[in-house]
Amino acid sequence: MIRVLQIVTYMGRGGLETMIMNYYRNIDRNKVQFDFLVHRQEEADYDKEILSLGGHIYRMPMLNPFSKSYFNALDFFFKTHMYDIVHSHLDCMSAYPLKIAKKNGVKIRIAHSHNKSQDKNLKYPIKLYSKRLIPKYATHLFSCGKEAGDWMFNGKPYTILNNAIDAMIYRYNPKIQNEIRNSLDINHSDFVVGHVGRFNPQKNHGFIIDVFNEIYKKNNKAKLILVGTGNGQQEIINKVNNLGLTDNVLFLGNRSDVNRVLQAMDVFLFPSLYEGLPLSIIEAQAAGLPCVISDNVPPECIKTDRVFHYSLEKPLDFWANKIIEAAQIEKKDTYDEIVASGFDIKNNANKLQNFYTSFCYGE
């Protein structure tokens, strides 16, 4: 059996972490096992499941490219844990663990791009510098999509690994829709807009609230479901309260049943500032939902005829009207479309498993 080291920030319920878990659940774990090198000390959402599937979790200090103690900890780890394959999901910062893995003789070193940009904060110049180092230390480059790969790897060849899902568990089901609405105290006649994503600048939650405020002015039976957590959540809660929308916006936090929660929505709103290839959009389409997204989201994520993308420069009222229009599209079973698009997990997991095993078994 091969043990592959997945290098992440932490295994919370974000898009890339959920993608890794989708693959982990569906590979043949008698042939390939995942271990995780994380950069947080606290327990994360998927940790217990990882342990139950036979994985190990190793904890590093927070990644700091200027910290000698961080690199010493990495060096000690790779000297005391032997891996033939490491797979890093740290975007621009993947260069640093891959550098130490190379130093310690790890044969296969994968850098995986999950975004086509980064937040424009104080760390942005460091990230731009760091991403240029990746080809020096990686043996293989993976990306969730074309735009993310082109941005991260600057013309170097890369392999696209789809952000695949178990399409069957997202399949549209009116019975589940009624069950979830009842559990959330949402009436059958309410108009429900939904979003799934971490509360960080990339996901543009402030814009979501502003658009929903316009929707509410047109329909006071409108409800907004927000799934996720993050550092920016309290700011958004305050904004909701200040607009008088407290009773109409549901903050559900992290959920282990996103596949069921999606069933309660009438339309999915996703106005991100940038994305790689968002898992949430694939999931929403698999649930049969019409989706209204920003044109910053790569068009490769559009796998059904029910996704509509618009510029964030358009007025809030424009967005509100387009969301209301999209909700007139009847939800339907899109399972066959998702499978045909190549985003069901079964075949994708086999491809990744074959990639890993080819280096160790010669398959």
Side-chain angles (χ1 to χ4, degrees), residues 172-329:
Y172 173 58
N173 186 324
K175 180 182 177 184
I176 296 175
Q177 173 180 290
N178 292 332
E179 289 174 358
I180 294 296
R181 284 202 172 203
N182 288 339
S183 71
L184 297 174
D185 199 24
I186 296 173
N187 293 326
H188 177 73
S189 58
D190 288 345
F191 172 46
V192 182
V193 181
H195 175 83
V196 178
R198 283 193 182 124
F199 284 79
N200 62 24
Q202 171 189 352
K203 301 300 183 183
N204 209 7
H205 280 86
F207 184 84
I208 292 173
I209 301 305
D210 288 335
V211 170
F212 180 72
N213 190 38
E214 295 300 314
I215 294 171
Y216 180 72
K217 291 174 185 176
K218 301 170 187 290
N219 181 354
N220 63 9
K221 296 186 76 174
K223 296 285 176 67
L224 174 64
I225 291 175
L226 298 175
V227 179
T229 59
N231 294 333
Q233 183 172 351
Q234 189 56 52
E235 180 182 346
I236 298 303
I237 291 172
N238 294 341
K239 185 180 180 81
V240 166
N241 293 340
N242 291 337
L243 289 170
L245 297 171
T246 307
D247 293 337
N248 294 79
V249 179
L250 287 71
F251 292 88
L252 300 190
N254 286 330
R255 298 280 298 220
S256 60
D257 61 345
V258 170
N259 58 310
R260 291 173 60 84
V261 174
L262 286 169
Q263 304 283 337
M265 302 173 188
D266 293 309
V267 63
F268 191 80
L269 174 58
F270 203 78
S272 291
L273 300 177
Y274 62 87
E275 288 287 345
L277 198 148
L279 190 73
S280 297
I281 293 296
I282 305 299
E283 293 171 341
Q285 289 174 89
L289 283 169
C291 303
V292 179
I293 69 177
S294 75
D295 59 7
N296 295 324
V297 180
E300 343 162 39
C301 75
I302 300 176
K303 301 302 172 187
T304 67
D305 61 359
R306 48 198 49 230
V307 181
F308 309 93
H309 51 98
Y310 305 107
S311 169
L312 293 174
E313 299 299 318
K314 295 288 187 181
L316 296 174
D317 190 62
F318 172 91
W319 274 80
N321 287 332
K322 291 301 182 182
I323 291 164
I324 292 168
E325 287 175 18
Q328 303 307 309
I329 300 171

Side-chain angles (χ1 to χ4, degrees), residues 86-109:
V86 298
H87 192 154
S88 179
H89 304 269
L90 299 177
D91 276 338
C92 298
M93 309 307 278
S94 287
Y96 301 108
L98 293 182
K99 176 181 179 179
I100 304 304
K102 180 180 180 179
K103 175 188 172 187
N104 284 280
V106 178
K107 297 174 187 174
I108 306 301
R109 305 177 302 276

